[in-house]
Each structure stands twice: as structure tokens, then as C-alpha cells.
Amino acid sequence: MPHYEDESEMKKNANIFNNSYIPQDIPARDSHIKNLHSCFSPALKRSKPLHAWLCGKPGTGKSLVAKYFLQDLMEKHQINGVYINCWRTNSFYSVLDTVLNELRFGFGDERDTRVKLYQFERLVREKPFVIVLDEVDLMPLKDRNAMIYNFCNIGKIGLICISESMYSILSLEDRIKSRLNPRVIRFEPYTTKDLIGILRERALLALDSQRWNENILKKIAEIAKGDARIAIHTLKGACQHSEEEACKSIELKHIKKSYYGIDDLKKEYRLKRLTEHHRILFQLIKMNTGIISNQLWKSYLKKCRNLNLKPIAKRTFSHYTSNLNRLKLIRVERARVRGRVYSFSILD
């Protein structure tokens, strides 16, 4: 490992490559931002805005555009709002709790959703308020229906819902779809030219000019196949690999090494789209590599008891492990014991 006298580029500018980073300008998404401004222009006159629903594959800029737009409303127009990730905050109660905390109005140990909803309604009754519900499709349908229905009935609230597909809208109850009536804004994968522009903006801010060039950015953009998140992670990793090898600039070998090293990010994408039971099984296999069928089933049942979660049937269990195997998240092999017994491990 080479020795560096100065702090590395990554350490000095790490935030530029973080998912939380919001640039001053967002390439190739002007029309999407204008569409949102059109939906929420009534809020500038202190009226109730239209709701919006952003749809598109991972890495197409949905979350970034929503955060950028929300920040603009709050800083330039003094319209309050909050961003919620519904994968991490995946119940109506926890969303309300998070919103009240963001408003610096915690409500003690109150466990009644109705009380929290009433308190929230009192706080936002007179002024427009924007709620971004990212990855809303990962919230259980019952909670999603209740949350959207109740938020639509409160004062001047405007919702920006984000999901991967249109199915999340279609799966809502008819009365809720009718009340929400969102403007759907579709996000297509970025072009190679778009990704080069995105990477160039990050490289100019974060990296020494000798570290990269346009050909390097083009190669990364091409292998990312329209996914900005993968492109940015690949550039970040390639820079780190070039630093570790004491190279003055990023080379093709660093790009390949970085791209094939972002499997965890790809796994996260896949796991998010599966059920909670899939994710429990994946984590159990991850913690107990080589675990065999019966042991995995018993560990799964124990985990469900601890979480107060109704377990799936034994036949469904086999189907779920097959799903994880088909998505190349786990490896399934015949165990070296008698009978039809399998062992499970995480793919490297």
C-alpha cells in the first residue's frame, strides 16, 4: 500500500459522490423539474398543489430531482416540506412520527396513529406543505392506502410519490386513486451523453484534472447503461483504485475493477423489490454461510417470532429461496448429507 503525504482526493471531496449530494444543476432533467413546478405553482399562491408521481428504473434521477425541487421550494419560496424514504420508514405511523420530528414537534410516547395525524393536521392546516414519499412502492399496500388517503384529505398538502413502476399507482384502491389523481412524470434511463455530463460535473468538483479525461468518463457511462448511480459509484471506485496503486490517472483496469466491485449496490436494488420475507432469508444466509435447508427454516421461524411476523408456508419458503437463487443473490448446492438437503451461501 503506497504512502500519501496529503489527504486523498476521495477524503477531501467524498460528499460529491454520496447519494445525499444535490448539485446546483441537474443535467437532462429540466423538463421533469418544470413539470413539478407546474404541479406545485398553486402552492406559491398559498393554495393546494397538484400531486405528482415519479416513475422510472433505479438510477434515473427520480430521488435527486425530488430532493432538488423540495430544497428549492423550501429555500426560495419558504414552503415547508419533508423527504421520507418509505423503505426505511415503512408504515403510516412511522411516517407520521418522522414528519412530526422533522417539524420539531415530537409527541412523546404516543402510539395512536389517529392522535399523531390530528396533531400533524393542526400544524399544517393553513399553509401548503410538501411530502416526498420515496420508494413508496416498498411500503405495505394497506399502509400505503391509508397514508395517501389521509394525506390527500389534509389542507394544502402536496404529495410527490416515487416508485419504480406504474403498478404502485394501479394497485391503490379506486377511491384513493381518484382522490390523489397525480400527474405522472416518467423518467427514462439516461443516455450515454447525459451520463458523461453528470460524471463530468462530479469530476470537476471532486477530482484533480490529471486524474480523469473525457475518454474515461465515456467508458464509465457506456458500461453503466443509463444508471447514474452505478456510473457515479464506478467513477468513485475507479479513483480509489488508482490512488491505491499510486497511479496518476484512472486507467481502464481501475474502471473494470470498480464496476465489478459494486455488487452490493446491485444486490440492494434487487432485495428492495422483494418481500420482507425474502430479505430475512437473505440476511440469515449471509450471517450463516453454508446453512442447510432445515436449519434455515428453523432460523427463519425464530426470526418471524421475534419480529411478531406471520411466517410463510413451507412450500412458499422453497419458492422464495429459488427466487433468491434465480436473481443471483445466493448460491444453492446439494448438501453432503443423505436426502434432498441443500446448503445456502451468499454469492461473492
Side-chain angles (χ1 to χ4, degrees):
M1 181 71 68
H3 174 74
Y4 297 99
E5 293 182 3
D6 297 324
E7 202 178 13
S8 75
E9 293 171 71
M10 291 288 92
K11 287 182 181 178
K12 288 187 289 186
N13 304 285
N15 65 308
I16 301 298
F17 292 99
N18 288 345
N19 291 335
S20 58
Y21 172 70
I22 303 176
Q24 291 185 348
D25 295 297
I26 302 179
R29 292 296 181 249
D30 287 345
S31 63
H32 301 75
I33 294 169
K34 287 178 181 177
N35 217 335
L36 279 173
H37 274 293
S38 175
C39 289
F40 285 81
S41 59
L44 305 183
K45 301 175 184 178
R46 297 301 185 258
S47 297
K48 186 178 179 68
L50 302 175
H51 304 298
W53 199 297
L54 316 187
C55 293
K57 291 182 177 180
T60 53
K62 305 181 301 297
S63 301
L64 180 60
V65 164
K67 290 176 181 178
Y68 175 91
F69 178 73
L70 179 61
Q71 180 176 282
D72 183 74
L73 283 180
M74 295 176 72
E75 292 181 356
K76 294 182 181 179
H77 303 287
Q78 287 72 56
I79 294 174
N80 286 331
V82 63
Y83 168 88
I84 302 284
N85 186 297
C86 296
W87 180 48
R88 297 181 177 86
T89 310
N90 65 351
S91 70
F92 183 27
Y93 172 86
S94 58
V95 166
L96 280 171
D97 198 47
T98 301
V99 171
L100 287 170
N101 284 327
E102 285 285 328
L103 292 171
R104 292 176 174 78
F105 198 95
F107 209 52
D109 297 325
E110 178 57 58
R111 306 301 297 175
D112 193 326
T113 301
R114 293 170 299 178
V115 175
K116 285 189 178 290
L117 183 64
Y118 171 73
Q119 193 62 42
F120 173 58
E121 188 173 2
R122 283 184 55 202
L123 289 171
V124 299
R125 185 175 295 161
E126 302 299 328
K127 298 178 181 179
F129 191 86
V130 181
I131 304 177
V132 177
L133 298 168
D134 201 352
E135 300 191 292
V136 69
D137 50 331
L138 301 183
M139 178 178 285
L141 184 58
K142 182 179 179 181
D143 277 278
R144 195 191 319 159
N145 275 314
M147 176 179 65
I148 292 175
Y149 178 79
N150 280 284
F151 281 158
C152 284
N153 286 332
I154 295 177
K156 301 172 183 178
I157 281 183
L159 299 179
I160 300 176
C161 300
I162 304 174
S163 67
E164 188 171 334
S165 72
M166 283 287 294
Y167 176 75
S168 305
I169 304 174
L170 300 174
S171 62
L172 295 171
E173 293 177 13
D174 288 340
R175 65 189 178 109
I176 297 170
K177 280 187 286 189
S178 176
R179 190 172 293 273
L180 179 67
N181 191 25
R183 179 178 297 182
V184 177
I185 304 175
R186 299 178 185 274
F187 285 67
E188 299 299 327
Y190 288 105
T191 65
T192 297
K193 183 179 178 181
D194 294 336
L195 288 181
I196 291 172
I198 291 168
L199 293 172
R200 185 187 300 116
E201 186 260 353
R202 307 280 173 130
L204 285 168
L205 290 171
L207 305 180
D208 186 278
S209 59
Q210 293 182 335
R211 182 72 61 185
W212 61 279
N213 57 50
E214 289 294 313
N215 285 334
I216 287 295
L217 302 187
K218 184 180 178 182
K219 283 179 171 48
I220 294 173
E222 286 173 345
I223 65 173
K225 297 180 180 178
D227 190 320
R229 200 175 301 181
I230 284 179
I232 291 166
H233 276 262
T234 301
L235 176 59
K236 178 183 178 181
C239 182
Q240 289 173 329
H241 291 310
S242 69
E243 284 187 342
E244 289 168 2
E245 295 180 15
C247 296
K248 291 183 178 179
S249 61
I250 296 171
E251 300 174 11
L252 182 59
K253 63 179 181 179
H254 302 134
I255 296 173
K256 290 180 178 178
K257 192 174 182 180
S258 175
Y259 178 74
Y260 291 114
I262 58 174
D263 287 340
D264 286 344
L265 183 65
K266 296 175 185 176
K267 285 178 182 178
E268 183 182 335
Y269 284 173
R270 296 181 199 131
L271 279 169
K272 279 183 178 180
R273 302 299 149 194
L274 297 174
T275 67
E276 184 177 5
H277 297 277
H278 284 96
R279 293 193 287 271
I280 289 172
L281 290 169
F282 178 81
Q283 290 301 324
L284 288 171
I285 295 167
K286 187 176 181 179
M287 291 186 295
N288 303 278
T289 186
I291 189 170
I292 62 173
S293 313
N294 289 340
Q295 292 172 344
L296 180 59
W297 173 246
K298 290 176 182 177
S299 297
Y300 164 75
L301 292 176
K302 182 178 178 182
K303 188 69 175 179
C304 286
R305 285 195 298 272
N306 292 340
L307 295 173
N308 196 26
L309 186 68
K310 183 180 178 181
I312 55 177
K314 189 72 177 283
R315 183 179 299 177
T316 308
F317 165 82
S318 299
H319 178 64
Y320 278 21
T321 54
S322 296
N323 283 345
L324 293 172
N325 183 46
R326 178 176 51 82
L327 291 169
K328 297 181 179 179
L329 292 167
I330 65 171
R331 180 186 293 109
V332 181
E333 298 174 313
R334 286 292 294 267
R336 295 181 179 179
V337 296
R338 297 179 69 178
R340 297 191 64 181
V341 180
Y342 296 90
S343 68
F344 304 90
S345 56
I346 299 297
L347 279 173
D348 297 327

